[in-house]
Amino acid sequence: MPAAAPLTPTARTRRQFLTLLGISAAAVSCGTATATGGSGRPGGGGQVTTLKYQGSVGAVTLPELAADLGFLGGLTLEWVGNTISGPQDIQSAATGQIHFGGAFNGAIIKLAAGKAPIQAVISYYGVDQDVFSGYYVLEDSPIRSARDLLGKKVAMNTLGAHSQAILDIYLSRGGIPKAEAAKVEALVVPPVNTEQTLRQKQIDVGVLGGVLRDKALAAGGIRPLFSDFDLLGKFSAGSYVMTRRFIKENPDTVRTFTTGVAKAIEWSRTTPREEVIARMESIIKKRGRNEDTATLKYWRSYGVAETGGRIEDKEFALWLDWLAERGEIKAGQLKPSDLYTNEFNGYGKG
């Protein structure tokens, strides 16, 4: 990955995050629910065939892999930039800046609760014994338990999403009441800067996952405090969403996209790891964004739990309960089936 200057961690409150959700919902209500400009739309009212999206520096997303493998049929992808934030990505999808975005399922619930007409169509990342997010401290850190986190700084890629949810669960299981848990300061630090920021002692705990986690561990000097896999075991954690309007107007496009991504998930499971990594290196080099491919050697899998990325109720039920307990949504406001559909996932069907 390109070297980036260390950033000073900046705290962002839950109120700021919810304000962003409110802005997104308001924009959607104004009728901007699909990307504009007619990109890839044939004459005569045909369906969109060019999908705008955001990528990730030094990584290959499942749609990018699916496109390179020829699984997207006549669809093409149009990269409009990179994101490090799931909530930002799905907000961009909800407001029509891109055609699909991916985020932690809890963040999807929040956006849907804010009246954004979005629907999850396929899981794209998950947690297992090889693919997980760990909460790391320096080797000589005195932090050993949930109570030791009080008054400490915990860095993550974004607030109100996966990493903060796992932190809350850890504190709760460690017997920390909500009033005391508020003393733990969650900060936003880009993932590429987290290891360096931790080593410079600007933070006390850093959330690291995937290749960035393995690279940091290989360098030594840090140790795990806990992980999402320790707390919850294997599960799919995030989904790609589209607006309901886009789905209704472009059902064939959605079916091709979703089924193609499902095929890419299974290709990555059944193909030798070295071959998957080589394919990813080729994709990154071909797209010409001046990215370092060195960290790809640490890639293991996308961690999606279910075959073909099919979504199950349990993947939203846990976070519905978590958000209701936090008072961020009303209990019973939404049910899992309100939030996703497997209708367009043709993987494994005749």
Side-chain angles (χ1 to χ4, degrees):
M1 295 182 185
L7 300 181
T8 301
T10 302
R12 297 184 184 174
T13 67
R14 186 181 305 125
R15 180 176 297 176
Q16 289 173 309
F17 178 76
L18 293 175
T19 297
L20 285 174
L21 293 182
I23 291 171
S24 295
V28 172
S29 70
C30 292
T32 57
T34 58
T36 57
S39 178
R41 185 184 292 279
Q47 297 181 35
V48 170
T49 57
T50 298
L51 301 178
K52 294 181 179 180
Y53 78 103
Q54 296 182 117
S56 181
V57 176
V60 176
T61 66
L62 277 165
E64 289 171 330
L65 179 61
D68 194 70
L69 290 167
F71 293 159
L72 295 187
L75 302 182
T76 57
L77 301 178
E78 181 181 341
W79 175 72
V80 299
N82 290 319
T83 183
I84 63 165
S85 166
Q88 183 276 331
D89 201 34
I90 60 173
Q91 288 163 27
S92 294
T95 55
Q97 298 169 64
I98 54 179
H99 290 104
F100 65 88
F104 164 58
N105 288 335
I108 292 171
I109 293 169
K110 284 188 180 184
L111 196 56
K115 306 301 183 183
I118 56 170
Q119 191 169 36
V121 295
I122 190 169
S123 297
Y124 76 99
Y125 84 89
V127 170
D128 61 23
Q129 67 274 14
D130 295 318
V131 183
F132 57 87
S133 291
Y135 292 64
Y136 291 90
V137 297
L138 294 176
E139 193 69 52
D140 60 358
S141 171
I143 298 174
R144 298 281 176 179
S145 69
R147 185 156 293 279
D148 293 336
L149 288 177
L150 301 183
K152 300 299 191 293
K153 297 177 180 179
V154 181
M156 55 194 67
N157 69 318
T158 191
L159 299 187
H162 184 120
S163 295
Q164 191 165 27
I166 297 300
L167 176 61
D168 283 355
I169 291 172
Y170 177 71
L171 292 171
S172 176
R173 292 188 180 180
I176 308 300
K178 288 185 180 179
E180 285 192 271
K183 297 177 183 177
V184 181
E185 185 179 2
L187 306 173
V188 175
V189 175
V192 294
N193 299 119
T194 299
E195 177 189 353
Q196 184 176 2
T197 306
L198 177 63
R199 294 187 188 280
Q200 291 177 341
K201 299 185 178 181
Q202 294 176 276
I203 56 175
D204 301 290
V205 184
V207 181
L208 293 166
V211 296
L212 294 176
R213 177 200 67 218
D214 290 349
K215 179 174 176 288
L217 287 172
I222 66 173
R223 61 176 171 81
L225 181 62
F226 67 95
S227 74
D228 46 11
F229 181 69
D230 293 336
L231 295 179
L232 300 174
K234 183 177 180 179
F235 65 100
S236 288
S239 307
Y240 283 127
V241 304
M242 294 175 166
T243 64
R244 292 176 183 272
R245 174 179 165 186
F246 183 83
I247 293 170
K248 181 178 180 180
E249 294 178 350
N250 301 274
D252 296 333
T253 295
V254 177
R255 184 170 292 104
T256 299
F257 169 81
T258 304
T259 303
V261 170
K263 290 178 180 178
I265 291 170
E266 295 309 316
W267 181 87
S268 72
R269 284 195 223 269
T270 58
T271 302
R273 179 168 170 264
E274 294 75 15
E275 186 177 333
V276 177
I277 292 173
R279 190 82 183 217
M280 290 179 170
E281 289 174 341
S282 172
I283 292 170
I284 288 179
K285 289 176 181 176
K286 284 189 295 185
R287 68 193 187 193
R289 300 177 197 166
N290 193 30
E291 299 162 282
D292 186 358
T293 63
T295 56
L296 286 178
K297 66 183 179 181
Y298 298 102
W299 181 89
R300 295 180 184 278
S301 81
Y302 289 101
V304 177
E306 303 301 326
T307 300
R310 295 181 72 82
I311 304 171
E312 296 191 346
D313 280 5
K314 63 183 180 182
E315 291 157 4
F316 282 96
L318 173 66
W319 311 117
L320 284 166
D321 292 342
W322 172 68
L323 290 167
E325 289 173 4
R326 288 167 61 93
E328 296 191 32
I329 66 170
K330 295 179 181 178
Q333 180 180 352
L334 294 167
K335 57 182 183 295
S337 58
D338 295 330
L339 300 160
Y340 74 90
T341 178
N342 287 313
E343 177 185 352
F344 300 94
N345 190 337
Y347 185 83
K349 295 181 179 179

